[in-house]
Amino acid sequence: MKFRMLLLAALPLVLAVGCGGNEVRTTDNIARECALIPFPRVFELQEGGLYLDASTFAVDSRFDNASKEKIREFASLLSDCSGTRVRIKELAPAAGNGSVEGASLSFVLDDSLSPEEYSLDAGPQGAVVRASDYNSVLYSLATLRQLLPVEIYCCSDGSRCTAGVAKSSCKGVEWTIPFCHIEDYPQYSYRGVMLDCSRHFFTVDEVKRFLDIMAEYKLNRFHWHLTDDQGWRVEIKKYPQLTEVGSVRGGTMVGRDFDSDDGVPHGGFYTQDELRDVVAYAQELGITIVPEVDLPGHMVAALASYPELGCTGGPYDVRRIWGIADDVLCAGKDATYRFLDDVINEIADIFPGELFHIGGDECPKVRWENCPDCQAKIAELGLADKDGVSAEQYLQNYVTDHVRQTLAAKGKRIIGWEEIAEGNLDKNAMVHYWRGWKSVEETLCKFTADGYDVLMSPTNFFYIDYAQSEDRSSEPLSYNSTLTIEKMYLYDSTKLLSPEQLAHVKGVQANLWTEYIADWKQIEYMLLPRMFALSCIAWDGDERPDFETFMDEVRKHQFQVLDILGYNYRKGN
């Protein structure tokens, strides 16, 4: 990857006049530096630039309607910012091979490119974007926004309202992109962020704001942690008590004091209509949502709603403290499997993506060991301690496989935290690697050697609920560990893998748990600017520039974007 800008020979001022009085205006005077995050695979920057205000955009008619609409939105945004009219002209397929006379910017559908791949060539005769699909159109437009003066973010395209910056700041701006050549495509197909809305609930509008900033930097998977011990956040019509009871806890521990309770009820949930609205919003941004129902552990909120699903029968209370609870779903009762089928089927019908996250982590077996129903199920299945794995762990494998089959019937594939691979696991399941304190050889190398597809979220590199500095006095309350943006950016846990094993690593994801985060502005602070490091890791893979080069790019442009859009972020390293 040529991640540095290659400055080519200066080009003279050119004014190319097209048909019907349209003109492509260029200039040899561009002093603005260009900073793109994530880094394109190839970025060759030349002297001179192309005006895009008062322009004609030519669009290949073969693009789908959604892609055409996004290009029209970009033209409208530029018109709004520049105060001049940007016109759209649709091209017949035969004409969609390159720049169009009189068009400053042409969009061409190129079937030879891989999914999510695009290219951009801007020169004296105009600029040509070649894109392979809807997402690659979105990514080309995101790159164009970063190539334009930062004031492009001062205006609203109707779906993202900017904060605190008047459009008057756009006056006198030269709406110019540099002459350049870009070839770009992602390293990983899965580029994600997880948001925990169970420990603390966040509104639909806040979740959409989270999606907005993800999309701007080419992240394409939103893992939505919707259920846990401390709150059930998704409406299930067949089980109304899940939200009537399970969505509200009576109080919350204060700080890190597990013996405290503020006595303040905390709750909230998403209706199925609200979930569908967020799904549609995410799809428009090129983001697929991966819902999570954590099972069979982390289920106290469900047990408080339906105590008969537990081994002891309760009573249970929606959990007020963090950590791991001994109470889990009873794996010996037929009612548990009916419950799981019903819940999963309702949720799967809302989320169209292939992956469904089933959690599977931190499931204590103490209740199962002493539960007559669970022990009877173990006997029925002929399970026993074997190869260092307990019969109770094999019972969890049985629960996992039951859910896998239920989801497979809906055309879904399960993904779960890495504990689901202990014992038996179907090879079609995806393993979510998170226990960063374990050795790579013990975990990642074994998973990939065994043929499992893996998603990377090791705690020591991707848990963004960790503090951003060792100086805790400068940080809000957070989980009691540190992850600086530099450490995150320098991530490399795949160097021990063979090429065959590397093919099983499908992507990376940052996880934002919210035990200690109740305020939305702190959500933004924990995400930013570490999300820029995630974006580069996910898009560029190992072919990234050094950390100082990265931070120079971030400070040069991206902090200004965050300021204009009104996001809260950590300004130091």
Side-chain angles (χ1 to χ4, degrees):
M1 175 180 64
K2 301 177 185 175
F3 53 78
R4 296 307 302 137
M5 294 172 285
L6 179 60
L7 187 61
L8 303 183
L11 294 170
L13 177 68
V14 177
L15 186 65
V17 181
C19 302
N22 292 330
E23 60 182 37
V24 178
R25 294 192 302 134
T26 65
T27 179
D28 61 355
N29 180 25
I30 285 199
R32 186 180 73 255
E33 293 184 272
C34 299
L36 300 180
I37 296 292
F39 296 91
R41 295 285 168 157
V42 174
F43 185 13
E44 297 173 353
L45 181 63
Q46 304 160 356
E47 287 190 5
L50 179 68
Y51 285 94
L52 291 185
D53 56 337
S55 297
T56 295
F57 290 180
V59 180
D60 191 328
S61 62
R62 295 172 297 170
F63 278 117
D64 57 58
N65 290 334
S67 297
K68 293 174 186 176
E69 180 57 29
K70 284 302 172 184
I71 295 168
R72 283 192 288 268
E73 285 181 8
F74 177 72
S76 177
L77 171 64
L78 189 57
S79 294
D80 195 21
C81 289
S82 66
T84 61
R85 183 184 174 196
V86 179
R87 296 167 291 275
I88 295 286
K89 178 167 65 175
E90 194 163 313
L91 301 177
N97 297 317
S99 61
V100 176
E101 188 177 15
S104 59
L105 181 58
S106 303
F107 290 86
V108 178
L109 181 64
D110 190 337
D111 294 330
S112 70
L113 300 177
S114 60
E116 300 192 302
E117 183 177 3
Y118 71 95
S119 67
L120 169 64
D121 285 283
Q125 304 306 315
V128 179
V129 169
R130 296 183 181 277
S132 59
D133 56 15
Y134 177 72
N135 273 25
S136 62
V137 169
L138 295 180
Y139 303 148
S140 70
L141 295 174
T143 295
L144 284 166
R145 282 191 291 272
Q146 291 192 44
L147 288 173
L148 283 162
V150 72
E151 287 83 0
I152 191 70
Y153 295 93
C154 298
C155 303
S156 171
D157 65 2
S159 63
R160 297 181 185 85
C161 293
T162 59
V165 180
K167 292 182 183 179
S168 59
S169 63
C170 295
K171 292 180 178 178
V173 174
E174 291 188 352
W175 298 101
T176 313
I177 63 170
F179 294 155
C180 61
H181 170 69
I182 290 175
E183 300 171 20
D184 209 9
Y185 56 89
Q187 172 70 28
Y188 293 117
S189 59
Y190 189 118
R191 307 180 300 280
V193 188
M194 186 277 290
L195 178 62
D196 169 17
C197 290
S198 176
R199 274 50 177 266
H200 283 99
F201 177 77
F202 298 100
T203 68
V204 165
D205 286 344
E206 288 168 335
V207 171
K208 287 181 177 179
R209 184 167 169 82
F210 195 92
L211 295 170
D212 285 343
I213 198 64
M214 283 180 58
E216 198 63 36
Y217 295 92
K218 304 182 175 72
L219 298 169
N220 68 349
R221 294 291 187 275
F222 176 60
H223 174 182
W224 205 354
H225 189 77
L226 290 165
T227 71
D228 216 298
D229 295 323
Q230 294 82 11
W232 186 282
R233 305 296 178 211
V234 51
E235 177 190 29
I236 303 297
K237 295 186 183 296
K238 196 164 185 176
Y239 296 90
Q241 291 291 100
L242 288 172
T243 47
E244 291 174 14
V245 175
S247 70
V248 181
R249 63 175 178 267
T252 303
M253 61 180 282
V254 179
R256 296 194 181 92
D257 183 358
F258 281 81
D259 295 322
S260 64
D261 187 335
D262 64 10
V264 179
H266 179 86
F269 67 92
Y270 307 102
T271 68
Q272 293 192 7
D273 285 343
E274 287 175 324
L275 293 171
R276 289 188 178 93
D277 175 57
V278 176
V279 166
Y281 189 87
Q283 286 178 319
E284 188 176 344
L285 296 173
I287 295 173
T288 300
I289 297 180
V290 180
E292 181 184 356
V293 174
D294 206 341
L295 62 95
H298 289 283
M299 271 279 178
V300 174
L303 297 180
S305 306
Y306 294 94
E308 65 272 18
L309 298 176
C311 292
T312 68
Y316 307 99
D317 186 31
V318 179
R319 192 168 168 86
R320 302 178 182 216
I321 61 174
W322 318 131
I324 303 170
D326 286 338
D327 288 306
V328 301
L329 287 177
C330 179
K333 295 178 178 177
D334 291 342
T336 295
Y337 298 95
R338 289 194 297 272
F339 169 79
L340 290 174
D341 288 346
D342 292 338
V343 167
I344 285 166
N345 282 326
E346 284 197 33
I347 295 176
D349 286 341
I350 296 170
F351 295 93
E354 178 194 18
L355 291 176
F356 192 113
H357 208 297
I358 65 164
D361 63 317
E362 300 173 334
C363 180
K365 308 302 191 291
V366 61
R367 296 288 186 251
W368 293 359
E369 290 167 358
N370 298 287
C371 173
D373 292 315
C374 290
Q375 291 303 309
K377 178 63 77 171
I378 286 172
E380 174 193 331
L381 298 172
L383 304 178
D385 296 359
K386 181 181 177 182
D387 299 327
V389 178
S390 70
E392 287 75 21
Q393 178 58 42
Y394 286 121
L395 181 59
Q396 181 173 346
N397 296 154
Y398 176 79
V399 176
T400 297
D401 201 60
H402 177 93
V403 173
R404 181 193 65 78
Q405 293 181 58
T406 299
L407 284 165
K410 308 284 287 188
K412 307 287 186 183
R413 181 185 186 190
I414 64 167
I415 178 173
W417 305 110
E418 66 191 76
E419 289 96 319
I420 68 171
E422 295 172 0
N424 295 324
L425 181 65
D426 188 273
K427 295 298 184 185
N428 189 53
M430 184 180 287
V431 177
H432 197 163
Y433 171 46
W434 72 277
R435 291 183 289 189
W437 62 86
K438 290 197 167 190
S439 71
V440 171
E441 294 92 333
E442 182 183 358
T443 50
L444 177 59
C445 289
K446 182 180 186 303
F447 296 147
T448 53
D450 288 345
Y452 291 108
D453 288 343
V454 177
L455 176 64
M456 300 295 294
S457 290
T459 55
N460 45 342
F461 290 103
F462 290 110
Y463 270 44
I464 55 175
D465 57 323
Y466 289 9
Q468 300 195 62
S469 170
E470 293 288 358
D471 179 9
R472 299 301 169 78
S473 66
S474 68
E475 291 286 293
L477 180 68
S478 63
Y479 190 84
N480 197 25
S481 293
T482 302
L483 175 59
T484 65
I485 188 172
E486 180 174 11
K487 180 177 179 180
M488 185 176 187
Y489 187 78
L490 297 178
Y491 155 81
D492 179 12
S493 290
T494 59
K495 58 188 175 184
L496 297 179
L497 302 184
S498 68
E500 293 77 17
Q501 289 174 297
L502 278 171
H504 284 291
V505 178
K506 298 304 179 182
V508 296
Q509 176 177 291
N511 294 334
L512 184 43
W513 302 102
T514 62
E515 286 93 334
Y516 300 101
I517 308 172
D519 175 73
W520 185 256
K521 284 299 181 184
Q522 189 181 348
I523 287 285
E524 294 180 356
Y525 178 89
M526 303 304 281
L527 179 67
L528 300 165
R530 288 184 290 196
M531 188 193 72
F532 297 136
L534 172 69
S535 172
C536 291
I537 294 165
W539 189 271
D540 300 320
D542 293 335
E543 298 184 46
R544 305 190 297 276
D546 61 74
F547 177 70
E548 287 307 317
T549 297
F550 160 74
M551 282 306 300
D552 185 53
E553 305 291 271
V554 169
R555 295 187 192 99
K556 192 186 300 177
H557 186 82
Q558 311 309 332
F559 282 173
Q560 296 179 66
V561 173
L562 295 181
D563 287 336
I564 290 170
L565 296 178
Y567 282 90
N568 183 39
Y569 65 96
R570 190 177 196 278
K571 295 176 173 58
N573 283 4

